[in-house]
Amino acid sequence: MNARAIDSLLLRFDGKAPLHEQIYASLRDRILKGELPRGVRLPSSRQLSAQLGVARSTVMQALEALQAEGYVVARAASATRVAPELPEELQQQDRPRTAQPSKPVRLSAGARSLLAQPAGGPRLGSAPRAFRPGVPALDLFPVGVWSRLLARESTRASAGLLSGTATAGCEALREAIALHVSASRGVRCTKDQVFVTTGTQGAFEETARLVLDPGEEAWLEDPGYLGARHALLSACARIVPVPVDDRGLDVDAGIAKAPNARLVFLAPSHHYPFGVTTSLARRLQLLSFAKKARAVVVEDDYDSEFRHRGRPLMALQGLDEGACVVYVGTFSKTMFPGLRLGFLIAPQPLVDAFARSRAALASPSSVIDQSALARFIENGHFATHLRRMRTAYRERNEALVEALRAECAGALEPHPSETGMQLWAETKVPDLPLRDAAAARGVESSAISDYYLTPPRKAGLVLGFGCVRPQEMLQGAQRLMQAFEAVRRA
Amino acid sequence: MNARAIDSLLLRFDGKAPLHEQIYASLRDRILKGELPRGVRLPSSRQLSAQLGVARSTVMQALEALQAEGYVVARAASATRVAPELPEELQQQDRPRTAQPSKPVRLSAGARSLLAQPAGGPRLGSAPRAFRPGVPALDLFPVGVWSRLLARESTRASAGLLSGTATAGCEALREAIALHVSASRGVRCTKDQVFVTTGTQGAFEETARLVLDPGEEAWLEDPGYLGARHALLSACARIVPVPVDDRGLDVDAGIAKAPNARLVFLAPSHHYPFGVTTSLARRLQLLSFAKKARAVVVEDDYDSEFRHRGRPLMALQGLDEGACVVYVGTFSKTMFPGLRLGFLIAPQPLVDAFARSRAALASPSSVIDQSALARFIENGHFATHLRRMRTAYRERNEALVEALRAECAGALEPHPSETGMQLWAETKVPDLPLRDAAAARGVESSAISDYYLTPPRKAGLVLGFGCVRPQEMLQGAQRLMQAFEAVRRA
């Protein structure tokens, strides 16, 4: 090694990392490329220091690191040498800076089937726009209150809270959730049954993995929510599509197709995407089946907080005498999606299994957020916000229906939603091209076809109105009509 | 139905829920219990209103809800009746208030094997104490700065941020992470390869599910980190224990045992629990194996930020020419565990699969936390905090070693840690009873035996010093000695 070689090392430095790290990285590169062959003696730290014009301690730091990782060896009273044990083939070849894969990585069967699913409608940028489904009125969220609570809870956070040992979730939040769902949804539970999740999706996945072996059968509404399908595919379940009619899930059909199913996914109070309510008779029949078959029922109670007509329907969980219902709720719609907080309410016989699997696996949610949310609920901000949102969504629902009737007559027939922040509108043209044509015109939606597991029997779009101000509805509807005309002409 | 029956309904009211909900719930209960038989005609809403002394609209709200769910039917110009289609057997039986399971729920094979694993040392309350492993110095965390950043980021949050559409994580945080690990750990990546997770555990589980089919083989250090084992069991992988010697993972042994393994888990810079560094030769050998076998290597780079001697070692990822390393880091130790933020850095060929599976599955992390953390790093608070913690952990490491040498001579032989916030101390008595005896005296620890997949060849305790003030070390060590004496006598 001569002075020229060392000088040229410096030319590669970018000046960002500390000097000793740059020297380390540069020497390591040369060793790996074989420019400094194995066994060769390096200049002493004193020589290197002089030649590079840096402190000797800096050079020694670099050499120590190289030694700790086995690139160089230093023996007492002798200079440092490049390690003799460096594998020859790696030393000689000139290796590119950027890693080049030889072959694509093989994914698991679960991941492959998951990635083969419809991706849903395209998202045009991150800011919500007309008519992205499932997004609440973020323009009306009380960020000021939330921000004050976050600051206060983080300042007051105890070491116990910061250490995040409560894997089921913060006590105060679990208690607030238990009270809320008991009062508003007729759910029967104690706080010990409540597990905080990162949203409905996390709850679905956690439940599916807890009870389903790969290849076991699970009933899924057909059509039904894509997230539930994804959770089941990820758990390598065999999905059994069960039709939905005007009384909700066809339990007889489910029993005929898969009497030994281990899991049933449904949204009994508000089917996705059609909004059907599962009748009492069907609910009792389902619970009776689940009890006999020892199946677990996952109740997705989405959008139940924003009923536009009448009062919210009670949850299936409240009827469950067989202790087989896992009730799932989320704050993504009632607060904001980026909060990533939801919950599941486990039936008593599964509480211990959820708790212990939680302790072994990933704890999902930020504790300060949980603590602030508990306070937000306790202090009444949540109830106030829900009340305001109910009014807003009722208005936005009506505005969208009016806009569609005014602009899209004969093209899109809206089915006004009784609850929530989206509706579906039926069409006679194929819905996937319609969705894409709308996206090309800057309007987001989801196509009903994507939700079918069997050949679609209806066509239409799911249109969100939660995040759309009433005055923007008309323009969105006009663009939908343009998209419709384009598809019809094609 | 007579007035007495209706009055007695009121006796069950708890006064918390709105009146119409209480009436609804009470009537529903009676219907389900058969106290109001199917087909029976209910008093009119006017009669009920007068008898209960509530507004007629309140009664009607309750009746509408019962009708919507199918408990009662109302026909034009006729009074409301209990639904005739209510299943007989459910109507007649007197159902208990609390759900009684008939049989325990069967869990999945993955969950069963997970729950059969050692639970680790007991946690005595939520507040961290001597010598709980893996807990940082929460007493030194700058809560004031964090709280201000949280408040600011939440006040400024855009609708795009609140809607949480960036499933890989917030752009700003991904960029800050990429810069940090490039400079400090020699990781070669762009921000597009960074995925924000809820911590290392979430990253392990996500990676395992993405690449492993049930029953496929994965190498795991023996002994090794319990969290990695849990992630593999949850993915139904076949775990292949690979021994660790003083040069780290014995790659030859791994190849001999499972040449077709699909995944390799290791902590090359700091083995858990012994702290061994995997030598350069072994690193290159492992990467060469992984490239040929098309296996994915998960590099757990835990505790690398807090090196007590010399400089941090460079990451295995920086040597990876085959694009097979998934690099995993966490903010649980550098910030606080309850934050639930970590990250994985995917090799280029897996970036698309991670991104698309993210879009289909649960988005893990709170966006305001992510945004505040990005700011915390960008503004230099993170670097300052790390620097302070390095000093604190060096002092606490030394204090624990001194305390053990002073109080536990001949009982626990400490191996001073070169990095991180815990060390292991060897003992000659069985370590599981020692850990339990220490817990009985209010001292937490983990037993080395728990980390072995094969019969343990060493015994000892993992002792955390991160959250223990130096003055508390001595008392903790004295109690450990008492525990040792108790186990030796037994």
Side-chain angles (χ1 to χ4, degrees):
Chain A
M1 194 168 193
N2 54 37
R4 196 195 49 77
I6 296 167
D7 286 349
S8 74
L9 289 179
L10 283 174
L11 294 179
R12 297 195 199 159
F13 293 173
D14 59 3
K16 277 182 187 164
L19 210 51
H20 65 87
E21 288 188 13
Q22 299 191 43
I23 296 170
Y24 159 88
S26 202
L27 284 171
R28 190 183 68 151
D29 253 28
R30 302 232 144 173
I31 291 169
L32 286 171
K33 284 185 181 155
E35 293 173 22
L36 295 173
R38 65 180 181 173
V40 83
R41 185 169 162 168
L42 296 181
S44 71
S45 58
R46 194 179 305 272
Q47 288 172 303
L48 279 168
S49 156
Q51 286 167 337
L52 295 170
V54 299
R56 191 172 162 212
S57 62
T58 306
V59 171
M60 285 182 71
Q61 238 182 318
L63 291 176
E64 271 167 22
L66 288 166
Q67 191 185 340
E69 292 181 357
Y71 292 96
V72 304
V73 286
R75 292 214 171 68
S78 126
T80 303
R81 291 175 185 277
V82 173
E85 62 158 357
L86 212 62
E88 184 107 14
E89 72 279 20
L90 276 155
Q91 198 182 4
Q92 294 308 330
Q93 79 196 55
D94 197 5
R95 292 144 36 105
R97 275 309 283 180
T98 307
Q100 294 297 332
S102 42
K103 297 168 190 171
V105 180
R106 186 167 63 80
L107 303 180
S108 68
R112 286 197 306 274
S113 62
L114 188 67
L115 300 185
Q117 291 304 309
R123 292 291 164 262
L124 310 170
S126 71
R129 61 170 65 212
F131 294 106
R132 184 181 297 176
V135 185
L138 299 172
D139 52 320
L140 302 176
F141 183 74
V143 279
V145 175
W146 182 244
S147 144
R148 277 197 302 280
L149 284 175
L150 270 185
R152 202 177 64 173
E153 293 306 307
S154 56
T155 310
R156 290 185 184 176
S158 66
L161 186 72
L162 292 178
S163 74
T165 40
T167 52
C170 290
E171 281 289 290
L173 180 58
R174 296 168 76 198
E175 188 146 16
I177 290 170
L179 277 173
H180 172 67
V181 294
S182 299
S184 71
R185 306 294 303 125
V187 168
R188 292 186 286 173
C189 71
T190 65
K191 71 172 192 309
D192 300 326
Q193 292 169 262
V194 179
F195 293 83
V196 177
T197 69
T198 55
T200 36
Q201 193 62 35
F204 292 168
E205 292 170 30
E206 193 173 341
T207 307
R209 282 197 295 275
L210 194 68
V211 301
L212 280 179
D213 279 332
E216 287 190 321
E217 289 174 325
W219 295 8
L220 189 57
E221 293 163 319
D222 183 34
Y225 182 53
L226 275 179
R229 193 194 304 184
H230 295 156
L232 291 174
L233 289 174
S234 167
C236 301
R238 187 128 52 94
I239 294 180
V240 179
V242 178
V244 173
D245 60 23
D246 58 0
R247 288 179 296 156
L249 190 77
D250 186 343
V251 180
D252 282 330
I255 295 174
K257 287 174 92 169
N260 299 314
R262 301 269 309 122
L263 202 76
V264 177
F265 263 108
L266 82 164
S269 299
H270 185 214
H271 169 258
Y272 192 92
F274 294 142
V276 186
T277 302
T278 298
S279 74
L280 175 67
R282 289 272 179 85
R283 289 176 187 225
L284 295 172
Q285 191 190 2
L286 174 63
L287 291 173
S288 157
F289 157 76
K291 190 172 174 181
K292 258 182 243 145
R294 298 174 63 191
V296 169
V297 175
V298 179
E299 175 178 24
D300 177 11
D301 201 27
Y302 88 104
D303 274 1
S304 56
E305 292 88 352
F306 302 120
R307 200 155 184 84
H308 309 309
R309 278 192 287 278
R311 58 185 292 296
L313 302 183
M314 287 298 161
L316 176 66
Q317 197 268 6
L319 294 171
D320 174 26
E321 305 296 339
C324 50
V325 173
V326 174
Y327 176 92
V328 175
T330 182
F331 293 101
S332 292
K333 312 293 175 69
T334 49
M335 298 286 289
F336 55 95
L339 181 60
R340 309 305 325 139
L341 283 178
F343 55 93
L344 65 84
I345 292 171
Q348 211 47 261
L350 278 178
V351 167
D352 178 61
F354 271 109
R356 287 169 58 214
S357 107
R358 278 287 175 111
L361 297 176
S363 298
S365 307
S366 154
V367 292
I368 291 175
D369 291 331
Q370 290 186 56
S371 183
L373 179 55
R375 202 66 68 165
F376 191 81
I377 299 174
E378 286 162 20
N379 292 0
H381 301 298
F382 189 60
T384 306
H385 182 56
L386 287 186
R387 209 161 45 238
R388 285 193 190 134
M389 290 308 98
R390 250 178 235 123
T391 310
Y393 295 145
R394 192 181 303 123
E395 286 169 11
R396 292 179 180 193
N397 188 11
E398 283 165 14
L400 177 55
V401 171
E402 274 171 35
L404 290 173
R405 289 196 175 136
E407 301 294 333
C408 305
L412 282 161
E413 178 61 38
H415 293 251
S417 175
E418 297 200 347
T419 181
M421 50 190 72
Q422 59 219 9
L423 54 74
W424 82 282
E426 205 158 359
T427 188
K428 290 193 181 77
V429 300
D431 55 11
L432 292 168
L434 179 59
R435 177 198 70 190
D436 294 339
R441 287 160 181 81
V443 172
E444 292 184 18
S445 63
S446 298
I448 293 287
S449 297
D450 269 347
Y451 302 112
Y452 276 97
L453 291 151
T454 54
R457 277 161 289 142
K458 288 181 181 177
L461 298 181
V462 176
L463 302 170
F465 50 77
C467 63
V468 190
R469 292 189 179 85
Q471 59 270 30
E472 295 161 29
M473 300 280 183
L474 216 57
Q475 192 195 31
Q478 285 161 353
R479 291 185 180 172
L480 281 177
M481 192 61 189
Q482 290 160 12
F484 176 83
E485 296 292 356
V487 172
R488 202 171 50 174
R489 277 195 306 273
Chain B
M1 195 169 195
N2 55 37
R4 195 195 49 75
I6 295 168
D7 287 349
S8 74
L9 289 180
L10 284 176
L11 295 179
R12 298 196 199 158
F13 293 173
D14 59 4
K16 277 184 189 163
L19 209 51
H20 64 87
E21 288 188 14
Q22 299 191 42
I23 296 170
Y24 159 89
S26 202
L27 284 170
R28 190 182 69 151
D29 253 27
R30 302 232 142 173
I31 291 169
L32 284 171
K33 284 184 179 158
E35 292 172 22
L36 296 172
R38 65 179 180 174
V40 84
R41 187 171 161 166
L42 296 181
S44 71
S45 58
R46 195 179 303 274
Q47 289 173 303
L48 279 168
S49 156
Q51 287 169 338
L52 295 170
V54 299
R56 193 175 158 210
S57 61
T58 305
V59 171
M60 285 181 70
Q61 236 182 320
L63 291 176
E64 271 167 22
L66 289 166
Q67 191 185 339
E69 292 182 358
Y71 293 97
V72 305
V73 286
R75 292 214 170 68
S78 125
T80 302
R81 291 175 185 277
V82 174
E85 62 158 356
L86 213 61
E88 184 108 11
E89 71 279 19
L90 276 157
Q91 197 183 4
Q92 294 306 332
Q93 79 195 54
D94 197 4
R95 291 144 35 106
R97 276 307 286 182
T98 306
Q100 294 297 333
S102 44
K103 297 167 190 172
V105 180
R106 184 167 64 81
L107 303 180
S108 68
R112 287 197 306 275
S113 61
L114 188 67
L115 300 185
Q117 291 304 310
R123 292 292 164 263
L124 311 170
S126 73
R129 61 171 65 212
F131 293 107
R132 184 180 297 175
V135 186
L138 299 172
D139 52 320
L140 302 177
F141 182 74
V143 279
V145 175
W146 183 244
S147 147
R148 277 196 302 280
L149 283 175
L150 270 186
R152 202 177 64 172
E153 292 306 306
S154 55
T155 309
R156 291 184 183 177
S158 66
L161 185 73
L162 292 178
S163 73
T165 42
T167 52
C170 291
E171 282 289 290
L173 180 58
R174 296 168 75 198
E175 187 146 15
I177 290 170
L179 278 174
H180 172 66
V181 294
S182 299
S184 72
R185 306 293 303 124
V187 168
R188 291 186 287 172
C189 70
T190 66
K191 70 174 192 312
D192 300 326
Q193 292 170 263
V194 179
F195 292 83
V196 177
T197 70
T198 55
T200 36
Q201 192 63 34
F204 292 168
E205 292 169 30
E206 195 173 342
T207 308
R209 282 197 296 274
L210 195 68
V211 302
L212 281 179
D213 280 331
E216 286 190 323
E217 289 174 326
W219 295 7
L220 189 57
E221 293 163 318
D222 183 35
Y225 181 54
L226 276 180
R229 193 195 302 187
H230 296 156
L232 291 173
L233 290 174
S234 167
C236 301
R238 188 131 49 95
I239 294 180
V240 178
V242 178
V244 173
D245 60 24
D246 59 0
R247 287 180 297 156
L249 189 77
D250 186 343
V251 180
D252 282 330
I255 295 174
K257 288 174 92 169
N260 299 314
R262 301 269 307 125
L263 202 76
V264 176
F265 264 108
L266 83 164
S269 298
H270 184 213
H271 168 260
Y272 192 91
F274 293 142
V276 185
T277 302
T278 298
S279 74
L280 175 67
R282 289 272 178 86
R283 287 177 188 225
L284 294 172
Q285 191 189 2
L286 174 62
L287 291 173
S288 156
F289 158 75
K291 191 173 174 181
K292 258 181 246 148
R294 297 175 61 191
V296 169
V297 175
V298 179
E299 175 178 23
D300 177 10
D301 200 28
Y302 88 105
D303 274 2
S304 55
E305 293 88 352
F306 302 119
R307 197 152 189 88
H308 309 310
R309 278 193 286 278
R311 58 186 292 295
L313 301 184
M314 286 296 159
L316 176 66
Q317 198 268 8
L319 293 172
D320 175 26
E321 304 297 338
C324 49
V325 173
V326 174
Y327 176 92
V328 175
T330 182
F331 293 101
S332 292
K333 312 293 174 66
T334 48
M335 298 285 290
F336 55 95
L339 182 59
R340 309 302 327 136
L341 283 177
F343 55 92
L344 65 84
I345 292 171
Q348 212 46 261
L350 278 178
V351 166
D352 179 62
F354 271 108
R356 287 169 59 213
S357 108
R358 278 286 174 111
L361 297 175
S363 299
S365 306
S366 155
V367 292
I368 292 176
D369 292 331
Q370 290 185 57
S371 183
L373 179 55
R375 202 66 69 167
F376 192 82
I377 299 174
E378 287 162 19
N379 292 0
H381 301 298
F382 189 61
T384 307
H385 183 56
L386 287 186
R387 209 162 43 239
R388 286 195 189 130
M389 290 308 97
R390 250 177 236 126
T391 311
Y393 296 145
R394 192 179 306 124
E395 286 169 10
R396 292 179 181 191
N397 188 11
E398 284 165 14
L400 178 55
V401 170
E402 275 172 34
L404 290 173
R405 288 196 175 137
E407 301 294 333
C408 304
L412 282 161
E413 177 60 38
H415 294 251
S417 174
E418 296 201 348
T419 181
M421 49 190 72
Q422 57 219 10
L423 54 75
W424 82 281
E426 205 158 0
T427 187
K428 290 193 180 75
V429 299
D431 55 12
L432 292 168
L434 179 59
R435 175 198 71 190
D436 294 340
R441 287 160 182 81
V443 172
E444 291 183 18
S445 62
S446 298
I448 293 287
S449 296
D450 269 348
Y451 302 112
Y452 276 97
L453 291 151
T454 55
R457 278 161 290 142
K458 288 181 179 175
L461 298 181
V462 176
L463 302 170
F465 51 77
C467 62
V468 190
R469 292 190 181 85
Q471 59 269 33
E472 295 161 29
M473 300 281 184
L474 216 59
Q475 192 195 32
Q478 285 160 355
R479 291 184 181 173
L480 281 177
M481 191 61 189
Q482 290 160 14
F484 176 83
E485 295 293 354
V487 171
R488 201 170 51 175
R489 277 195 306 272

